[in-house]
Each structure stands twice: as structure tokens, then as C-alpha cells.
Amino acid sequence: MNKPLITRLQMLVAFELDSLEKRLDQARSFHYPSAVAVKFIDSLIEELKQQRLQIKQAISDFLPEYPQRVTNELRSQHRLLINKLTCLDSLKNAQTQNVPWSLVPSIERIASELSQGSQLLTTCTYALNYSIRWYPTPKSPIHQFSILQLPIIHKHNAFLHLLIGHELFHPLLQQFFVTQTPSVVARLKAAISHLNQPPAKNRLDKLVEFVRYAWQRAIEELMCDMGCAILFGPAAVFASIAFQMGSNLDEAPSSDGSFYPPPRYRIREVMHRVFGESVIGEAEQFHAGLEGTATTPIQKLAALLKEDERTSWAADILSEHRETILREIRKNDDLVPINQNPLLKTAYEEVQAVLPDAWNYIRQIATSAGMVWLSTIDEVPFLLRSLELLVPPGEIRDTKAPGQTKSPSLPSIAIATWLYQLKCEASVDASLEQAMKSYSRCCRLMLKGFEDVELRREYDAGKDAFQQMEQLP
């Protein structure tokens, strides 16, 4: 490329760099629910400054003798710039007015506790699915940020927002697949080579890759489902079922559906692995565990609720919905299309073989972060009493310090509000409009509970810092 054209390319890149930086400067003035967005902007601006320096250095060093090298560098910098343009959309969708701002600080705290040092930017999009973007191997300052995307149509639907727990586990699975994939691929190759497949049109390497991908997508989604259930307990299952009801529960994995496992399959594995439920045969006597020694996590919660006559209704609600779920997952309609396809059947046989290790991996992450729903279930009865008075579940009496109060855990808030909402659903015998009003009110109560917890955390941190300053000489 001759020098005039190189100059024109340089002007194009410089103009777009300036334009992006101006828009980032404008984005600073918008209101965000946390400081993460401003940190994200600062990192982007710093990268733009580095790009300018690299372009300037390339032109001064190579333009006279190596014009093609300068051209290649300018084009490379232009591609990097184009990749950053999507960040403007993310920042726009991360503004307070565009996200469930009451929930954002809680989401960020969960993410930071699961993965130390992570930075999470929460946005809303017009997609109908929850998702997360992250960089497995960060190469620049902005790569330390993950971008969590929530459906904007669900902005005020607090009950479904528990599914963010699923998304937060996606960036944490890399080491598991590094460890497991080589041996899995070897077993898949051996299994597929014994299938009666036409050789010419179905090369072994392509078949192995197809099955490996189906296996990985299934394991990935199941691990994140289990992680969400460890965080939020039964509330995660209620949220997942509510979200999946718009889908075919038995839809076979396919390229059209990103090889998602059938929803019924996913719920079954969560109930079995996380909650220790029997998913084969007839339902056992659930209430037997309430009279004697509770054995499963859900039985332990129900027994706790049953102890107090003011919350015994919640034990009945929990029992009823548990039995409904078990009846559904004991059907095997989801397995029929999988077993009819030899390649999918091979993939899902390997899924079952690896699931015990997958469950242990996820459980270790959540346990290390101290984020297991069972550790705070004694808070649920207190929160239910508040909800029955239409008081946000953001504070409970501290039994270890009479007269004092403390903030409950996020899982306890989620479980209590879900149980209260399920009670409202069962008792509503009026119009759909009244039922929707009740649902919206419960969403606001949950969000307010989350908000109160984080506000108190900020207040306590500020008070402690002030007291430490007073003690300085």
C-alpha cells in the first residue's frame, strides 16, 4: 500500500479512536448501580491510549522502509477497535435505569466470593436467555471483566434472577475440562469406532468431535445448574422450572438448541445430585422424615419449618411442590430421543460416567467460598413471618445477641420469598390480574430484601472503618 492510502487508513483509525474515547468519557457521567462500570470505562480508555502509542511507534519505526508492516499494524489495531465497540452497548445496558439495580451489588458480591478478584458488569439485553461473557485467558485489563446479561423483559422478575447463580459458574469450569477432556475423548473414540456408521461420509474425527461437543455442553450446563442449586437451594429449582416451562421439557440436544440437555434431564440430575432425592420408582413417604430424622436437605428444611406452627404451612407447600417435581422427573420421555440417536446416546453415557466428578468439583468451589444454602436455613422461618406481614425479608433477630438484629443470607431470602409466593399462588382464587399484582409485590419484597442486606453491609463496613480511624493516635 502506498503512503497516501496508509495515511488515509491512519486517519480512519485515529478518528474512530477519538470517537470511542469521547463516548466513553460521556458514559462516565451516567448513573450505574456500582463502581464496576466506571472501572470498566477506565480500563477501556487505558487500552485506547496504549493503542495510540503502538500506532505511533509503528509509523515512526517502519513507515519509510516497511510500509506493508505499518499497514498490517494499522489493520490489526482497527480490528481491536471494532471488537471494543460492543462495550458501548454493554455500558448503556448497565445503567441503573436499565438493570434490576437492587440486585446488582448482591450479584457482584456472589461473583467475587466464587472467584477472587473477578469484576462483573451486569447488563440487560433483548435476548430471552441469561448469559455471561468472559475471557478464559485474560490478555488485557478489560479481560478481567465478565459481562453478565439478563433478559430486559425479566428486569423486574426477581424470582427468575436467581438463575444468575447458574451463569456465574460458567467461567469457573475451565480446569475441570482441561483435566477430564483427554480421557473422555479417548473413551468416546473407542465407543464410536464400534458403532455401525457409514465410513465415507462420517469420518471418525468428525463423529468424535460431534459427540465430544454434545458431552461438554451437557456437562457444562449440568454443572452450572448444580452450582446454582448449591447457592440458592430449592429456590434455584423453582426458578429453573419457571423459566423452562416455556420450552419442551423433552427437547433433544441439537445444534439448533446449542446442544442444551433436555430440561427434564437437567432438573432430574439437580434433584438427585444436590438434594439427594430418589429419582427412580415411586415417591417415598416424605413426611416420615419430618417425624423422625430428616435425611435429605429438603426434608431438613421442611422439618425446621414444621417446628413452628406459624410456618408449618410452608413445610406443606414445600412437600407438595417437591412431590410435583419428582413426579415429573420420574418420567423418562426426555431419554427416548437421546437413546434413539447412537451418537447422543454415546455422549450421554459419558455424561453419566463423569457426573460424580463434576458434582464434587462444583461442590468444592461453593464450599470453599462458604456459599452453601443449607448453612443458613434457620433464618427462613424468621423471614417468612416478615413476609406474611408484607415486610421485606432484609433483617432478622439475632438469637445470639438479644435485642440486636442482623442481615440474613441471600439464599434464605430467596427460599422464603419463593415459599411465600407459592402460598399466594395456591390461595389466589380471584382474577389473573390480582394474581399478577401479588406476584409483582413478592418480586419487590425479594429485591428490597436483597437491597437491605447490601446497604447494611456497606453501613457496617463504613462504621467499622470510622471506629478504627477514631482509635488512631
Side-chain angles (χ1 to χ4, degrees):
M1 185 180 290
N2 56 43
K3 188 174 180 180
L5 292 179
I6 292 176
T7 301
R8 192 172 301 169
L9 176 59
Q10 181 186 357
M11 288 290 293
L12 172 68
V13 176
F15 183 88
E16 292 180 354
L17 276 169
D18 285 343
S19 180
L20 179 55
E21 189 168 36
K22 288 176 182 176
R23 279 160 176 74
L24 290 172
D25 279 332
Q26 291 173 352
R28 285 181 193 272
S29 63
F30 299 144
H31 193 274
Y32 302 97
S34 76
V36 172
V38 176
K39 294 178 182 177
F40 186 60
I41 292 170
D42 289 342
S43 297
L44 278 167
I45 290 177
E46 182 60 33
E47 286 204 9
L48 295 182
K49 290 179 180 177
Q50 293 300 318
Q51 279 192 257
R52 283 196 178 89
L53 290 175
Q54 291 171 9
I55 292 171
K56 183 178 179 181
Q57 190 69 40
I59 290 174
S60 63
D61 289 350
F62 303 112
L63 185 56
E65 298 182 28
Y66 306 101
Q68 188 58 45
R69 185 165 183 175
V70 174
T71 300
N72 293 340
E73 176 65 20
L74 286 170
R75 287 172 174 167
S76 175
Q77 294 295 338
H78 191 244
R79 285 193 296 270
L80 290 174
L81 181 61
I82 291 172
N83 290 337
K84 291 185 176 71
L85 294 179
T86 59
C87 295
L88 291 174
D89 275 338
S90 297
L91 286 166
K92 179 181 178 181
N93 295 330
Q95 295 173 34
T96 301
Q97 63 185 0
N98 295 328
V99 294
W101 55 268
S102 299
L103 189 59
V104 169
S106 298
I107 296 174
E108 292 176 1
R109 181 162 60 83
I110 295 172
S112 65
E113 291 175 359
L114 287 174
S115 178
Q116 295 297 322
S118 67
Q119 297 280 340
L120 186 72
L121 181 69
T122 304
T123 70
C124 278
T125 70
Y126 288 99
L128 287 176
N129 201 6
Y130 290 78
S131 62
I132 189 169
R133 301 203 320 260
W134 77 99
Y135 298 89
T137 53
K139 296 180 181 179
S140 73
I142 66 168
H143 290 175
Q144 67 181 312
F145 293 87
S146 299
I147 299 178
L148 177 68
Q149 298 176 315
L150 285 62
I152 198 166
I153 198 170
H154 294 153
K155 175 183 174 183
H156 301 296
N157 195 336
F159 291 105
L160 294 189
H161 289 332
L162 301 184
L163 297 176
I164 57 101
H166 171 103
E167 301 304 327
L168 296 182
F169 277 92
H170 274 291
L172 308 179
L173 306 183
Q174 183 178 9
Q175 188 56 48
F176 176 84
F177 288 110
V178 168
T179 303
Q180 293 282 340
T181 300
S183 57
V184 168
V185 169
R187 292 195 296 271
L188 291 176
K189 187 174 182 179
I192 294 171
S193 63
H194 290 88
L195 295 177
N196 187 19
Q197 296 287 332
K201 295 183 180 180
N202 297 282
R203 287 171 40 193
L204 181 60
D205 58 341
K206 290 186 177 181
L207 294 177
V208 171
E209 176 57 23
F210 175 90
V211 177
R212 182 208 64 80
Y213 186 70
W215 165 80
Q216 179 167 326
R217 289 294 297 121
I219 285 290
E220 186 177 0
E221 293 303 314
L222 290 168
M223 290 176 76
C224 292
D225 286 344
M226 292 188 291
C228 188
I230 295 174
L231 294 183
F232 293 112
V237 180
F238 296 148
S240 179
I241 292 174
F243 186 74
Q244 298 285 3
M245 287 307 297
S247 307
N248 177 0
L249 295 182
D250 305 312
E251 185 173 355
S254 69
S255 57
D256 292 338
S258 300
F259 283 96
Y260 280 110
R264 194 187 308 274
Y265 191 102
R266 297 169 64 169
I267 299 165
R268 182 187 299 120
E269 290 301 331
V270 168
M271 292 296 289
H272 174 52
R273 306 283 172 181
V274 181
F275 300 105
E277 297 288 354
S278 172
V279 295
I280 301 175
E282 295 298 322
E284 69 283 358
Q285 291 295 318
F286 177 73
H287 287 287
L290 306 187
E291 305 300 331
T293 302
T295 56
T296 69
I298 294 180
Q299 278 184 328
K300 291 177 182 178
L301 173 59
L304 180 66
L305 297 169
K306 202 76 173 178
E307 290 176 1
D308 189 336
E309 62 179 12
R310 291 173 293 179
T311 59
S312 60
W313 61 265
D316 296 334
I317 290 283
L318 185 60
S319 169
E320 176 188 345
H321 284 271
R322 169 191 173 272
E323 291 170 1
T324 298
I325 293 169
L326 289 179
R327 281 196 298 271
E328 286 298 322
I329 63 177
R330 282 173 175 151
K331 300 174 183 177
N332 63 0
D333 298 9
D334 56 304
L335 300 179
V336 173
I338 291 175
N339 291 332
Q340 288 176 344
N341 184 317
L343 296 178
L344 286 179
K345 183 179 179 182
T346 302
Y348 274 74
E349 286 172 351
E350 196 59 40
V351 167
Q352 287 299 316
V354 173
L355 266 175
D357 289 340
W359 163 234
N360 289 331
Y361 181 90
I362 287 295
R363 181 168 52 185
Q364 179 60 38
I365 291 176
T367 303
S368 299
M371 303 190 71
V372 180
W373 73 279
L374 267 176
S375 62
T376 56
I377 59 171
D378 58 321
E379 299 172 347
V380 176
F382 293 98
L383 299 176
L384 283 171
R385 293 175 210 156
S386 296
L387 285 165
E388 292 225 272
L389 298 172
L390 298 183
V391 174
E395 186 178 70
I396 60 174
R397 187 175 70 251
D398 191 345
T399 56
K400 297 180 181 179
Q404 300 294 317
T405 60
K406 66 176 184 178
S407 294
S409 70
L410 303 182
S412 297
I413 294 173
I415 293 168
T417 315
W418 254 109
L419 289 173
Y420 180 70
Q421 166 57 25
L422 292 174
K423 177 188 178 183
C424 293
E425 285 182 13
S427 62
V428 169
D429 55 1
S431 66
L432 177 61
E433 183 181 357
Q434 288 177 308
M436 287 296 295
K437 286 181 179 179
S438 174
Y439 188 88
S440 297
R441 181 178 61 201
C442 288
C443 285
R444 292 196 299 271
L445 287 169
M446 184 190 287
L447 290 173
K448 183 58 179 172
F450 286 154
E451 180 186 355
D452 288 348
V453 167
E454 300 306 326
L455 286 173
R456 179 166 184 152
R457 187 181 298 275
E458 293 255 348
Y459 172 78
D460 289 343
K463 184 173 68 174
D464 292 342
F466 182 74
Q467 289 175 347
Q468 291 176 5
M469 290 178 60
E470 283 188 323
Q471 295 173 3
L472 293 176

